[in-house]
Amino acid sequence: MSDSDFHAGELEAQQKWRTSHIWNKKHREELLWDHIPESLFERIENAPFFFLATSNKKGECDCSFKGGGPDIICILDEKNFVFPDIDGNGAFMSLGNIIQNPHVGCFFIDFSTGERLRVNGQASIHISGEIKDLFPNYTRAVLVKIEQVVPNCSAHIPKLIPWVKE
């Protein structure tokens, strides 16, 4: 089986569980993008957090919470965005994985509206230069070159009220 939108495992699962017919041309155009539409730039740049999935060269996965309030994402254009590496516990699990395997998945979710967006691409770490300079208060910045964007419906997302520290 060959398909430019799905890898062999995805195609096998679609065939096995009889969902191949769903993925016609119209459905693919609605739900499989190669860029972030400009209409979503503000929503992403205002996201107070997102989740970053990485894996090492053996494919062992890790998923991290990346937060810090609005302005942790800088969209350069529809195919590229940058976020700062916010120092954590010093284990560098995400950055270590990116060094071995630059493929990343980013998951943006708004619990007040249920809107979510998956963004997959290739990441690179910048410790100096124009990309790093976008976040002068941080030691490193990560550039994501977008390969795939998948908007998800809001079904099954609980409505949560953010906790505000008093």
Side-chain angles (χ1 to χ4, degrees):
M1 291 182 281
S2 177
D3 188 305
S4 62
D5 291 325
F6 299 106
H7 64 66
E10 292 165 332
L11 293 171
E12 181 179 337
Q14 290 169 18
Q15 189 171 21
K16 183 175 185 172
W17 291 295
R18 297 181 180 89
T19 63
S20 299
H21 67 282
I22 295 171
W23 291 100
N24 58 37
K25 185 176 192 276
K26 182 178 184 267
H27 198 66
R28 288 174 188 232
E29 288 173 357
E30 291 172 349
L31 296 177
L32 300 175
W33 307 335
D34 66 353
H35 67 283
I36 297 174
E38 192 171 336
S39 61
L40 297 179
F41 284 14
E42 184 177 355
R43 182 175 126 202
I44 293 169
E45 289 185 323
N46 288 326
F49 67 89
F50 69 101
F51 297 94
L52 175 68
T54 61
S55 66
N56 63 22
K57 65 183 175 184
K58 294 189 287 184
E60 298 165 332
C61 297
D62 181 62
C63 186
S64 299
F65 173 87
K66 300 297 179 186
D71 301 323
I72 61 164
I73 298 286
C74 176
I75 296 183
L76 302 179
D77 56 45
E78 64 182 15
K79 297 285 281 181
N80 298 279
F81 71 87
V82 181
F83 63 91
D85 174 47
I86 300 170
D87 289 332
N89 61 11
F92 295 108
M93 293 173 173
S94 296
L95 295 186
N97 281 346
I98 290 169
I99 289 169
Q100 288 193 345
N101 176 3
H103 193 78
V104 298
C106 302
F107 186 62
F108 298 89
I109 186 167
D110 183 333
F111 288 106
S112 65
T113 65
E115 294 174 313
R116 51 195 169 144
L117 191 70
R118 293 188 332 226
V119 180
N120 299 316
Q122 299 288 322
S124 56
I125 303 164
H126 297 260
I127 58 172
S128 63
E130 290 180 34
I131 299 299
K132 160 53 184 84
D133 291 346
L134 293 169
F135 295 98
N137 296 326
Y138 296 92
T139 308
R140 293 162 294 278
V142 178
L143 170 66
V144 177
K145 291 185 178 290
I146 298 165
E147 295 176 334
Q148 183 184 53
V149 177
V150 183
N152 293 112
C153 71
S154 60
H156 311 295
I157 301 297
K159 301 285 190 240
L160 301 177
I161 299 168
W163 176 70
V164 178
K165 187 176 181 179
E166 296 178 26

